[in-house]
Amino acid sequence: MTEAVSRPTLEAVAARAGVSRATVSRVVNGAGGVREPLAERVRQAVAELGYVPNQAARSLVTKRHQAVAVVIAEPETRVFADPFFALQLRGISKELTAQDNQLVLLLIEGRDDHARVARYLAGGHVDGALVFSLHLDDPLPGLIQGASVPTVFGGRPGWGAGTGRTRAQGPGVVYVDCDNRGGARAAVRHLVGLGRGRVAHITGALDQTSAVDRLDGYRDVMGEVPGGYDSRLLAESDFTPAGGERAMRELLDRCPDLDAVFAANDLTALGALRVLRERGRRVPVDVALIGFDDMLSVAEQTDPPLTTVRQDIEEMGRLMARLLLQVLSGGRAQDTPEAPAGSTAPAAPDAGLILPTKLVRRASA
Amino acid sequence: MTEAVSRPTLEAVAARAGVSRATVSRVVNGAGGVREPLAERVRQAVAELGYVPNQAARSLVTKRHQAVAVVIAEPETRVFADPFFALQLRGISKELTAQDNQLVLLLIEGRDDHARVARYLAGGHVDGALVFSLHLDDPLPGLIQGASVPTVFGGRPGWGAGTGRTRAQGPGVVYVDCDNRGGARAAVRHLVGLGRGRVAHITGALDQTSAVDRLDGYRDVMGEVPGGYDSRLLAESDFTPAGGERAMRELLDRCPDLDAVFAANDLTALGALRVLRERGRRVPVDVALIGFDDMLSVAEQTDPPLTTVRQDIEEMGRLMARLLLQVLSGGRAQDTPEAPAGSTAPAAPDAGLILPTKLVRRASA
DNA sequence: GTGAAAGCGCTAACAC
DNA sequence: GTGTTAGCGCTTTCAC
């Protein structure tokens, strides 16, 4: 390993440019108020010495770290089985990078990890946090509140809505989500519009709001069509292919007359598709099938290719980061950043930014 | 957003415990040499005040950051299409966490990102770096060398081997890889052992050493069997399903008599499988097929399930982190950490740690 | 506009 | 053993 020679300091730059440390600091931080010839000399010295500010020293006085924690709380392997997580990360990374912030990744694997992460966040090592994959019973929100770290959630947090737990942070909570309910409605409406009368739904893991919201969307539409809603057409699952298979078998056994399925996500649809084929049901002729997510590696690869509801995952990540940085720089969360056309920022009480979804027609419905 | 009240300092703890700052520091850092009753009083004060050391202040004097950068240089979407990346990350995260280090994620998307990352690494913001997905023409190694940051590579770096570029860092380079060549040999031997005489190979992207090594393994075995090696049985591809399809078509057109295929990875095998089915070749009856990686979400889900070469991706990540931390704490890279049984640490010139692979038999071969 | 000087919170000599 | 003290490299009043 090469010997790490000590890097040049502000002092060194000042000496070389023949000015004071204060002046160098001003130039480096673009504070202005420095006459051009001087500034130029400083820039020159910086370049010659290859000066890079010492972030630790800077943080010590500014109390800012230019760093944001990304907390992924997914003990299960699910997150790792689909590119969801990677895409969000990519969006986040882009935005943070653009605003010169670093991304500190905190993965939560086991139960004790919660304490560790909470301690880290409370330790004031980062300026803010981006938190994902919350389940209804997740202790994280409480811990985060205790740490009093500015936070933006990915996906509408479950508490405050359902169970009676820590709902203290109800209003004031900032999150970014896609229009799960609207997307589900669009999917089911499409199936109904195709003339399908017996539309089933395989839910996601119902301890996550995305699953609940998609189920609600399904109910919205099925409730409208005469004789549409039938609880036997509902099978609870967990967002996985295996879960999709199980649920599809169950549905087929219970309601052999079903002629369409709206699956909570593409992975679930994949499982359902396998069972449908196995049982000799043709898709979409006998049974029309729609997924959710538009995970290209799945939806485009199935046979037939999957009709599904697209959400812009990378954009969600980017928006989360943008929102957080905005909060950090003193902006109110409500002042939504240039939200993409079609997204919704409900007035109150939560500061949620909802991205639009879009039905993508392929061959399965 | 809750007001972030200023955290208690060493000073405050010292005052409360009625000792000096130095003593508190000793206790907090487990330096020893503090009499028990005193130490206990300090611990008490720490607990009561909820004291957490200020990492910035600490770094400023120790020049250590307890942070490691993970650099993922994959402009293409490939990394995001498979769980490889997530698994490595998980292994890395576990090890870093266990040793109380943070993970700073640096994603490289475009060409200018290289400069940014290089600047960051050179800035001395992290103690070391873990670098992935290097292609032969990647400028990163050179930049990293310039930054003189202790680094461990994921996968054998390509330079120094093939092209005449920056091979300066040849010896001294530390990396972790799996036994690509050995795994490939095992796969091809298995096919040959099955009585297949016309074994084709679909390569990965040949600007990555993993692809080259697997190809070498294939050649090793085919060179041994009489009349085995035939360059027409080789199709170059890129580790993707689409690439696998293309290559499989090409092979089938060129050598209709082939009776086995070794694909460079599972994704490629997936594409090949589709084409084989489309062309009416039964797997494994007519054509035996083997992949590489044992990516469960692929290998277990295909029809028939894929025989493949398993590598322990998470373990690779964990090992990379362990190696780096060891180097950072002054250990020589050669003193390989408790390497899992079966792994190899070549004496010289590179300090590479090679993890074993294992053939996993399923139904496709 | 520019410089001098006072810390930010911590560790590590060095005294005692 | 324990306390005292001198910085680590930077930003930021406050004079000039």
Side-chain angles (χ1 to χ4, degrees), chain A residues 10 21 25 29 51 54 58:
Chain A
L10 243 206
R21 278 157 41 205
S25 177
N29 296 298
Y51 169 74
N54 179 323
R58 182 180 274 172

Side-chain angles (χ1 to χ4, degrees), chain B residues 9-10 21 25 29 51 54 58:
Chain B
T9 69
L10 243 206
R21 276 159 39 206
S25 177
N29 296 298
Y51 170 74
N54 179 324
R58 183 180 274 171

Side-chain angles (χ1 to χ4, degrees), chain A residues 103-146:
Chain A
L103 191 170
V104 176
L105 189 65
L106 267 27
L107 257 33
I108 298 193
E109 308 282 349
R111 219 53 190 171
D112 0 331
D113 280 4
H114 281 110
R116 172 181 62 82
V117 166
R119 207 177 325 115
Y120 182 75
L121 292 179
H125 303 294
V126 289
D127 300 324
L130 260 20
V131 178
F132 285 103
S133 304
L134 249 27
H135 293 241
L136 235 39
D137 63 340
D138 202 305
L140 214 55
L143 293 171
I144 286 172
Q145 189 182 24

Side-chain angles (χ1 to χ4, degrees), chain B residues 65-345:
Chain B
H65 301 268
Q66 303 283 75
V68 166
V70 171
V71 182
I72 312 225
E74 191 62 69
E76 299 129 67
T77 349
R78 190 177 86 76
V79 158
F80 292 101
D82 65 46
F84 208 96
F85 152 75
L87 279 173
Q88 296 240 39
L89 222 42
R90 193 218 285 256
I92 291 173
S93 165
K94 277 188 180 159
E95 187 67 28
L96 289 182
T97 292
Q99 302 201 36
D100 210 49
N101 275 62
Q102 296 311 320
L103 191 171
V104 177
L105 189 66
L106 265 28
L107 258 32
I108 298 193
E109 308 282 349
R111 219 53 190 171
D112 0 331
D113 281 4
H114 281 109
R116 172 180 62 83
V117 166
R119 208 178 323 118
Y120 182 74
L121 292 179
H125 303 295
V126 289
D127 300 324
L130 261 20
V131 178
F132 286 102
S133 303
L134 249 28
H135 293 241
L136 235 39
D137 64 340
D138 203 304
L140 215 53
L143 294 172
I144 285 173
Q145 190 182 23
S148 74
V149 170
T151 299
V152 171
F153 292 92
R156 184 168 67 78
W159 28 266
T163 56
R165 1 181 0 106
T166 17
R167 41 177 307 142
Q169 57 277 76
V173 145
V174 184
Y175 68 89
V176 175
D177 205 344
C178 79
D179 185 9
N180 286 305
R181 191 162 183 166
R185 279 200 206 111
V188 180
R189 258 195 219 112
H190 177 68
L191 291 171
V192 170
L194 251 30
R196 309 290 169 145
R198 298 288 284 165
V199 181
H201 176 44
I202 304 178
T203 76
L206 291 174
D207 63 340
Q208 296 186 274
T209 56
S210 58
V212 174
D213 292 349
R214 290 171 198 182
L215 170 57
D216 284 345
Y218 166 81
R219 283 193 174 126
D220 289 345
V221 177
M222 295 305 279
E224 287 168 7
V225 319
Y229 187 74
D230 175 350
S231 67
R232 288 177 313 144
L233 284 169
L234 230 42
E236 191 171 336
S237 185
D238 58 4
F239 285 132
T240 69
E245 289 187 16
R246 221 179 307 114
M248 194 66 245
R249 287 211 177 85
E250 191 185 317
L251 284 169
L252 247 18
D253 290 345
R254 194 162 51 205
C255 309
D257 62 330
L258 62 82
D259 54 12
V261 176
F262 166 48
N265 71 347
D266 292 347
L267 257 20
T268 299
L270 179 66
L273 193 57
R274 270 203 291 262
V275 170
L276 286 169
R277 177 180 302 135
E278 173 188 307
R279 298 273 180 108
R281 308 288 183 115
R282 290 163 303 167
V283 175
V285 186
D286 302 327
V287 178
L289 178 63
I290 297 191
F292 205 113
D293 285 351
D294 195 28
M295 203 163 287
L296 293 185
S297 56
V298 175
E300 284 188 334
Q301 308 285 344
T302 54
D303 174 27
L306 208 57
T307 291
T308 187
V309 179
R310 171 179 302 167
Q311 53 174 324
D312 191 340
I313 304 172
E314 187 174 331
E315 179 65 16
M316 275 184 61
R318 184 183 280 113
L319 232 44
M320 286 179 68
R322 196 175 300 163
L323 251 175
L324 180 61
L325 292 178
Q326 191 177 291
V327 168
L328 291 180
S329 63
R332 286 292 298 106
Q334 265 79 341
D335 313 339
T336 40
E338 329 92 67
S343 58
T344 316

Side-chain angles (χ1 to χ4, degrees), chain A residues 101-298:
Chain A
N101 276 60
Q102 297 311 320
L103 191 170
V104 176
L105 189 65
L106 267 27
L107 257 33
I108 298 193
E109 308 282 349
R111 219 53 190 171
D112 0 331
D113 280 4
H114 281 110
R116 172 181 62 82
V117 166
R119 207 177 325 115
Y120 182 75
L121 292 179
H125 303 294
V126 289
D127 300 324
L130 260 20
V131 178
F132 285 103
S133 304
L134 249 27
H135 293 241
L136 235 39
D137 63 340
D138 202 305
L140 214 55
L143 293 171
I144 286 172
Q145 189 182 24
S148 73
V149 166
T151 300
V152 171
F153 291 92
R156 184 168 66 80
W159 28 266
T163 55
R165 356 182 3 104
T166 16
R167 42 175 307 141
Q169 57 276 75
V173 144
V174 184
Y175 69 89
V176 174
D177 204 344
C178 81
D179 184 10
N180 286 304
R181 190 162 184 166
R185 278 199 207 112
V188 180
R189 257 193 220 114
H190 177 68
L191 291 171
V192 170
L194 251 30
R196 309 289 167 146
R198 298 287 285 165
V199 181
H201 176 43
I202 304 178
T203 76
L206 291 176
D207 64 339
Q208 296 187 273
T209 56
S210 57
V212 174
D213 292 350
R214 289 170 198 182
L215 170 57
D216 285 345
Y218 166 81
R219 282 193 174 127
D220 288 346
V221 177
M222 295 306 278
E224 285 168 7
V225 318
Y229 187 73
D230 176 349
S231 67
R232 289 177 313 145
L233 285 169
L234 229 43
E236 192 170 335
S237 185
D238 59 4
F239 284 132
T240 70
E245 290 188 14
R246 220 179 308 113
M248 194 67 243
R249 288 211 177 85
E250 190 185 318
L251 283 170
L252 245 20
D253 290 344
R254 193 163 50 205
C255 309
D257 63 329
L258 63 81
D259 55 12
V261 176
F262 166 49
N265 71 348
D266 292 347
L267 257 21
T268 299
L270 180 65
L273 193 56
R274 271 203 292 261
V275 171
L276 286 169
R277 178 180 301 136
E278 173 188 307
R279 298 274 179 108
R281 307 289 184 114
R282 291 163 304 168
V283 175
V285 187
D286 302 325
V287 178
L289 177 65
I290 298 191
F292 205 114
D293 285 350
D294 195 28
M295 204 163 286
L296 292 186
S297 56
V298 175

